Amino acid sequence: MGSRFRAVTIAGGLALAACTPAKQEEAKATAPRTAAEAASSPAPSGRKAYFGAVHVHTSISFDAFTMGTRTMPEDAYRWARGEAIEPGLNGVKNQVQTPLDFYMVSEHSEMLGVFQEMQRPGTAASKLPIAKRVLSSDPAVAAAAFTEILRDLNAGKLDPALLDPAIGRSTWRTIVDVADKYYEPGKFSTFVGFEWTSSPENRNMHRVVMFRDTKVLPDLPLSTIESQDPETLWKRMDTQRAKGSVMMAMGHNGNSSDGGRVAQVQ
C-alpha cells in the first residue's frame, strides 16, 4: 500500500501537511504575532489541517481489556469514520459527531493479544491463575489484577506465561490487515503502529511508534520485555529503516516521567 501522507507533523490530535524549508521560513516571517492577528489572518496557502488520533487502544491491549474495553480495531476505525458502534460494558452506544481524517490503533506491544485469549475457553491463556481475576465481572477485582500485572511488567518480573510470541504475531498481522482494510486514499488515512511501554522505576517513558505505510513492517513490534532502554528502540528503528520502513516515535504522558523524558544524562 502507498504512503498515507507524503509527510505529516503530529501534535496531539492535529496534523498539518508538511512544507518545504523555504516555505517554512516564509511562514515564520509572516506568522501572526497575537491571537487577534491570527484570527483575522488568511489561512496559509498550500496547508490544510487534518484531525485524528494516533494513541488508541482496544481490548487487544492489556490495560484497556482489564478496564472493561471490549472493542476491537474494526470498531475503532468504524467509530473514527463516524459510524455508531455497539454499546460497551457501560451500555452506551458510541458515535463521534464529526468523522476524523486519520486514525491509528496503537496497542501495547507487551502481552499483545494474550488477554483476548483469556476469554476463549480451553486456551492456555484462559487457564492462567490470573485469568479469572482479569475476567471478573467485578471492576475492582479486574483493576487489581491489572495493577499487579503492571507492577510486575515495570519491575521486569512479568510471568513468562503471559508472553506468547505466536499470539503476538497473529494479533499484529490482524492489526495491520484491519488498518489496510479501512484506508481510503484522499478520504480517511489509517496508520499502523504500536506503543512501547517503557516504565523504568515506574516513570512513564512510553513511546508510540508510527509507520508511514504497511509496505515494510517488523514481524513483531519491539516490547519492553526485550528492553526498557530507549537506545534499544532507536537501534531497532534504524534497523527497520534500513529495510525500507519510514517511521517515527512519539513520547506520550511525559508529565508522568518524573523528568526522565528530558534527562540530560542517562
Side-chain angles (χ1 to χ4, degrees):
M1 175 175 294
S3 61
R4 273 61 163 165
F5 291 111
R6 283 179 297 173
V8 293
T9 300
I10 302 294
L14 173 66
L16 297 177
C19 303
T20 63
K23 284 189 173 292
Q24 288 176 351
E25 290 304 317
E26 178 186 342
K28 288 180 183 178
T30 59
R33 290 167 291 183
T34 66
E37 188 178 331
S40 61
S41 298
S45 62
R47 290 198 197 180
K48 185 177 179 180
Y50 296 94
F51 296 85
V54 295
H55 178 224
V56 178
H57 298 323
T58 72
S59 61
I60 288 176
S61 287
F62 70 96
D63 54 352
F65 189 93
T66 51
M67 297 303 172
T69 296
R70 292 298 180 267
T71 53
M72 292 293 286
E74 289 249 5
D75 303 305
Y77 288 120
R78 286 178 48 230
W79 177 87
R81 295 198 311 179
E83 297 180 36
I85 61 175
E86 292 305 307
L89 297 182
N90 60 3
V92 177
K93 200 163 189 174
N94 294 290
Q95 185 173 20
V96 66
Q97 291 184 344
T98 303
L100 302 177
D101 300 303
F102 66 90
Y103 212 61
M104 182 174 83
V105 171
S106 48
E107 311 286 9
H108 290 284
S109 56
E110 296 75 21
M111 298 169 281
L112 192 62
V114 171
F115 281 51
Q116 280 285 326
E117 287 292 298
M118 290 183 183
Q119 62 185 345
R120 298 188 175 97
T123 63
S126 71
K127 299 174 184 178
L128 294 174
I130 203 167
K132 184 175 181 179
R133 287 190 286 145
V134 167
L135 298 172
S136 175
S137 58
D138 184 341
V141 173
F146 161 72
T147 300
E148 181 180 318
I149 292 168
L150 183 63
R151 178 201 65 202
D152 290 347
L153 174 65
N154 292 347
K157 299 178 181 178
L158 192 67
D159 182 353
L162 289 169
L163 308 174
D164 190 324
I167 293 175
R169 289 187 185 92
S170 175
T171 302
W172 174 241
R173 190 65 252 171
T174 296
I175 292 169
V176 173
D177 289 344
V178 172
D180 280 345
K181 175 182 175 180
Y182 283 91
Y183 173 50
E184 297 181 72
K187 183 178 180 181
F188 181 65
S189 291
T190 59
F191 293 91
V192 169
F194 61 92
E195 181 172 353
W196 179 72
T197 322
S198 177
S199 300
E201 300 178 346
N202 295 317
R203 302 163 82 188
N204 188 314
M205 303 292 283
H206 301 189
R207 265 85 172 187
V208 173
V209 178
M210 179 181 187
F211 294 87
R212 185 183 65 179
D213 51 50
T214 58
K215 290 180 179 179
V216 183
L217 296 172
D219 182 47
L220 189 66
L222 175 71
S223 83
T224 54
I225 305 303
E226 295 178 63
S227 175
Q228 293 214 43
D229 185 356
E231 293 293 336
T232 300
L233 176 62
W234 311 148
K235 290 175 182 177
R236 186 65 61 87
M237 290 176 67
D238 283 342
T239 298
Q240 195 63 37
R241 289 187 183 109
K243 296 177 181 179
S245 292
V246 178
M247 58 196 298
M248 65 179 178
M250 299 163 280
H252 94 87
N253 277 10
N255 56 314
S256 300
S257 70
D258 193 26
R261 190 68 57 77
V262 292
Q264 298 301 306
V265 294
Q266 286 190 324

